[in-house]
Amino acid sequence: MDETTNPTEAQELTPWDRVQMARHPQRPHTLDYIAALCEDFTEFHGDRRFGDDPAIVGGLAAFAAHTVMVIGHQKGSDTRENMKRNFGMSHPEGYRKAQRLMRQAEKFGIPVICFVDTPAADPKKESEERGQGNAIAESILVMTNLRVPIIAAVIGEGGSGGALALSVADRILMQENAIFSVAPPEATASILWHDSAKAPDAARALKLTAQDLYQLRIIDEVVSEPVGGAHQNPQEAITILGARLRANLDTISQIEIPTLLKQRYQKYRVIGHYREA
Amino acid sequence: MKEFFRRRKTSFTTGGQSEGNPVPDDMWVKCSACRELVYKKELTDNLKVCPKCGHHMRMSAHEWIGLLDAGSFSEMDTNLLPTDPLGFVSLGESYAEKLAKSQQRTGMPDAILSGVGMIGGRHLALAVGDFAFMGASMGSVYGEKLSRAAERAADLGIPLLTINTSGGARQQEGVIALMQMAKVTMALTRLAEVGQPHIALMVDPCYGGVTASYPSVADVIIAEPGANIGFAGKRLIEQIMRQKLPAGFQTAEFMLDHGMIDMVVERNQLPATIGRLIRLYGTRRDPSERRDPVEQMISAITYP
Ligand SMILES: [Zn+2]
């Protein structure tokens, strides 16, 4: 990214530029948001079945006037941390840890905040053996009828089913340079262009930017970033998103749970474009 | 049931609907697994399972209707047609053009067929994918038809059978397609609320966003022998992740070994197995009480 990007130039960012910004290693990640926005964060570990996945973090924290369960994909800022975090690509045990924490949030009536930032779910042999498909499916199912408010914030890459597994929510916020896609643009390019180098073309065709997804009514809110992107001024990016999280949480915490669940059902039930002949 | 199959005029030579290469004399079909020539009529009578090696060949959505009691199926939501919401173009071809081609080739509006029918004399809602239509990828029409099938089953108080074969979410509908995973899961909570089961049959091949959503959390998961089932494709794991994969990786048997599915069932045993399950779940309530209202409600539906 060009260091001198200004708001006028920002208007002209291509979808591929946004993909680069969404992936920028200096962009704040989940633990940066939690550290700056929450107090008393207490991280919980493990899925109680197989292990603990460092690619998903979660735990209890105090946020504004609320106790919240914060859960998020965790990328690293350098190679060493990224190796540990598997580049934010979660394993089945990561999703199962998230499910466990969500169920616990439900038990104690605590709202859930999810930070979404993953290229995709881990596609390795071991993840297949442990049921990656089932793990993602279970996460989606847990979130469809969890009896507490859920807010998802896409803070970087919202990649495929691995991202959806943390973003079935009452409100979906998305930073202006974050992306949310059915598949990584390289994968789509490889399938439909037979050439992963056509990823910039795929990124344009997929309508994966926050602006596109707001127009398509997939997300509820586009959250602005500092000039040049969140990596240029992480503190400001965190402050801006924090304010929007707080406002949304205050609003949806007022809604009675049965109403909230009805609204959540409707929100997802109406997504789709088709013709009735 | 075999009679029903025979009655249906299914051509093995059209489009990509069927595995098994047609040979010049269209009385014979070559099995893609054992390369043996099989008499076509014998194959049809055997539900497209190779009589020589037992290979389960792919079936079109319409062929799968043969699993139901003969003549019991009423197709629904046939009026739902796909659109091109993103104006998606790749390699000079628009999604709209691609859809038109697939529609012409398969005679289906999109990759899924749904409706209500019976197995073993008991009602159930059915939704079945057709791999010949863009790899039975899940887009808006797929998601909507499946959601309606689930809600209809809930309203009627009958089980839902899904037959799943898919490459995953439909790329050309972007995140709208991805969100169908959540939408269908939402709709299925209605079925759970009324205490009716979702039985998922996974057939070859089933991958990506479909494996990672509703079938993998069904009440019962059945797979056909040898079916390839997984989340990430084998090529991705081998070529990008550079991992060696053992023989039998991601087969139905592998999924059974790893605790991901309930059973592997041969095709000719499916009606009996599914019929038995519906009967077992059905005894939760007095069938004589349930039966008539359901029949009335179903007969009150005006089929398109
Ligand atoms: Zn054979």
Side-chain angles (χ1 to χ4, degrees):
Chain A
M1 246 336 99
D2 184 351
E3 298 276 315
T4 60
T5 306
N6 64 40
T8 324
E9 283 170 322
Q11 300 294 313
E12 291 149 22
L13 288 175
T14 66
W16 186 243
D17 292 333
R18 306 261 193 206
V19 171
Q20 302 311 308
M21 287 173 89
R23 291 173 174 171
H24 199 288
Q26 297 315 312
R27 202 176 167 83
H29 297 127
T30 295
L31 286 174
D32 301 317
Y33 283 95
I34 296 175
L37 296 173
C38 302
E39 281 169 27
D40 295 337
F41 173 59
T42 307
E43 188 175 353
F44 295 154
H45 291 277
D47 68 346
R48 303 294 189 270
R49 287 165 169 79
F50 175 81
D52 184 46
D53 185 359
I56 286 189
V57 296
L60 281 179
F63 172 65
H66 309 266
T67 293
V68 292
M69 187 66 84
V70 284
I71 302 169
H73 303 101
Q74 182 62 38
K75 286 186 182 179
S77 309
D78 54 42
T79 308
R80 219 190 90 232
E81 205 197 343
N82 258 325
M83 295 301 282
K84 175 185 166 190
R85 303 287 183 184
N86 198 34
F87 301 86
M89 296 189 292
S90 314
H91 304 89
E93 52 273 23
Y95 299 116
R96 290 179 181 131
K97 170 168 67 179
Q99 292 153 30
R100 183 174 74 80
L101 301 191
M102 287 180 201
R103 284 290 179 219
Q104 194 188 122
E106 181 179 55
K107 176 179 172 184
F108 294 105
I110 295 167
V112 174
I113 296 178
C114 289
F115 293 100
V116 178
D117 190 14
T118 181
D122 178 72
K124 287 197 291 289
K125 170 175 167 276
E126 294 75 15
S127 288
E128 293 293 314
E129 288 167 345
R130 297 199 288 276
Q132 189 67 290
N134 164 268
I136 294 169
E138 288 279 359
S139 283
I140 295 168
L141 179 58
V142 166
M143 297 181 92
T144 57
N145 55 9
L146 198 76
R147 301 179 64 80
V148 288
I150 309 173
I151 301 177
V154 187
I155 57 170
E157 276 183 286
S160 178
L164 184 65
L166 290 189
S167 46
V168 182
D170 300 302
R171 296 285 187 277
I172 306 179
L173 317 185
M174 201 169 157
Q175 286 179 321
E176 64 170 296
N177 296 311
I179 59 162
F180 201 163
S181 182
V182 64
E186 289 84 352
T188 303
S190 150
I191 298 167
L192 295 178
W193 278 259
H194 312 299
D195 180 3
S196 59
K198 297 285 186 212
D201 293 337
R204 187 179 297 282
L206 283 166
K207 300 274 189 284
L208 46 62
T209 68
Q211 298 72 21
D212 286 330
L213 294 171
Y214 183 74
Q215 280 192 347
L216 289 166
R217 299 177 168 208
I218 298 290
I219 63 162
D220 298 285
E221 202 175 307
V222 181
V223 178
S224 60
E225 292 182 24
V227 174
H231 61 283
Q232 296 286 3
N233 190 341
Q235 194 47 55
E236 196 187 332
I238 291 168
T239 305
I240 298 169
L241 180 61
R244 294 315 305 153
L245 284 172
R246 181 190 299 222
N248 277 281
L249 186 58
D250 287 344
T251 307
I252 61 173
S253 300
Q254 302 302 314
I255 304 171
E256 296 287 334
I257 295 299
T259 310
L260 192 71
L261 290 181
K262 269 190 205 125
Q263 290 175 357
R264 195 185 298 160
Y265 190 96
Q266 263 324 102
K267 178 181 169 61
Y268 285 87
R269 186 62 187 80
V270 299
I271 297 178
H273 290 245
Y274 52 84
R275 230 155 29 88
E276 290 194 70
Chain B
M1 198 192 72
K2 281 190 178 178
E3 284 69 25
F4 188 65
F5 258 80
R6 208 174 293 139
R7 214 159 46 76
R8 296 191 58 88
K9 282 186 182 143
T10 49
S11 165
F12 287 167
T13 50
T14 51
Q17 293 216 0
S18 305
E19 238 179 307
N21 306 322
V23 290
D25 177 359
D26 70 355
M27 302 276 282
W28 299 86
V29 172
K30 194 183 217 177
C31 171
S32 63
C34 68
R35 320 299 300 169
E36 293 274 337
L37 285 179
V38 182
Y39 190 41
K40 201 160 100 178
K41 185 177 171 302
E42 192 183 356
L43 192 62
T44 314
D45 290 348
N46 206 30
L47 311 179
K48 294 184 79 175
V49 176
C50 173
K52 304 269 166 64
C53 73
H55 173 59
H56 285 53
M57 295 183 187
R58 287 179 193 167
M59 298 218 285
S60 70
H62 282 283
E63 286 170 329
W64 275 113
I65 300 306
L67 217 60
L68 305 180
D69 295 354
S72 71
F73 183 67
S74 302
E75 191 181 351
M76 290 172 184
D77 299 321
T78 52
N79 60 328
L80 298 191
L81 303 173
T83 64
D84 183 1
L86 309 184
F88 196 103
V89 179
S90 60
L91 294 177
E93 192 185 33
S94 74
Y95 174 42
E97 290 164 338
K98 213 168 263 187
L99 282 170
K101 273 189 199 165
S102 295
Q103 286 165 340
Q104 202 164 21
R105 207 177 55 240
T106 62
M108 292 182 58
D110 206 313
I112 193 167
L113 186 78
S114 64
V116 171
M118 286 197 248
I119 288 183
R122 285 169 186 260
H123 287 290
L124 79 170
L126 173 77
V128 48
D130 196 315
F131 198 77
F133 195 107
M134 297 184 72
S137 49
M138 177 159 56
S140 295
V141 169
Y142 190 120
E144 181 65 22
K145 278 198 180 186
L146 195 45
S147 298
R148 289 190 188 187
E151 288 173 338
R152 183 175 296 121
D155 289 344
L156 297 173
I158 58 177
L160 171 69
L161 171 66
T162 60
I163 302 179
N164 307 285
T165 169
S166 179
R170 186 166 296 168
Q171 303 287 309
Q172 293 90 343
E173 292 189 28
V175 170
I176 299 167
L178 183 73
M179 290 291 163
Q180 301 306 307
M181 296 163 68
K183 165 171 163 169
V184 171
T185 308
M186 279 288 174
L188 279 161
T189 61
R190 286 276 162 92
L191 191 65
E193 278 167 20
V194 301
Q196 287 295 334
H198 166 210
I199 300 169
L201 171 62
M202 297 174 95
V203 303
D204 185 69
C206 196
Y207 278 91
V210 168
T211 296
S213 62
Y214 65 95
S216 290
V217 288
D219 297 295
V220 188
I221 310 175
I222 306 171
E224 288 200 314
N228 288 283
I229 303 164
F231 174 64
K234 273 180 242 190
R235 230 182 326 163
L236 170 70
I237 305 173
E238 285 176 327
Q239 294 174 9
I240 312 286
M241 296 291 125
R242 300 189 177 281
Q243 288 182 300
K244 253 184 97 84
L245 298 177
F249 182 75
Q250 286 184 335
T251 57
E253 294 74 15
F254 168 96
M255 294 294 276
L256 185 70
D257 281 350
H258 286 84
M260 298 304 151
I261 62 172
D262 290 289
M263 57 191 100
V264 177
V265 177
E266 287 186 20
R267 193 169 290 164
N268 64 12
Q269 292 303 310
L270 285 171
T273 306
I274 295 164
R276 185 168 71 242
L277 286 166
I278 296 175
R279 206 164 60 238
L280 288 166
Y281 284 113
T283 56
R284 226 174 35 83
R285 297 198 186 89
D286 179 3
S288 63
E289 269 180 32
R290 299 288 307 165
R291 195 59 175 272
D292 285 338
V294 170
E295 300 243 324
Q296 279 169 17
M297 286 164 85
I298 287 175
S299 59
I301 294 170
T302 46
Y303 302 135

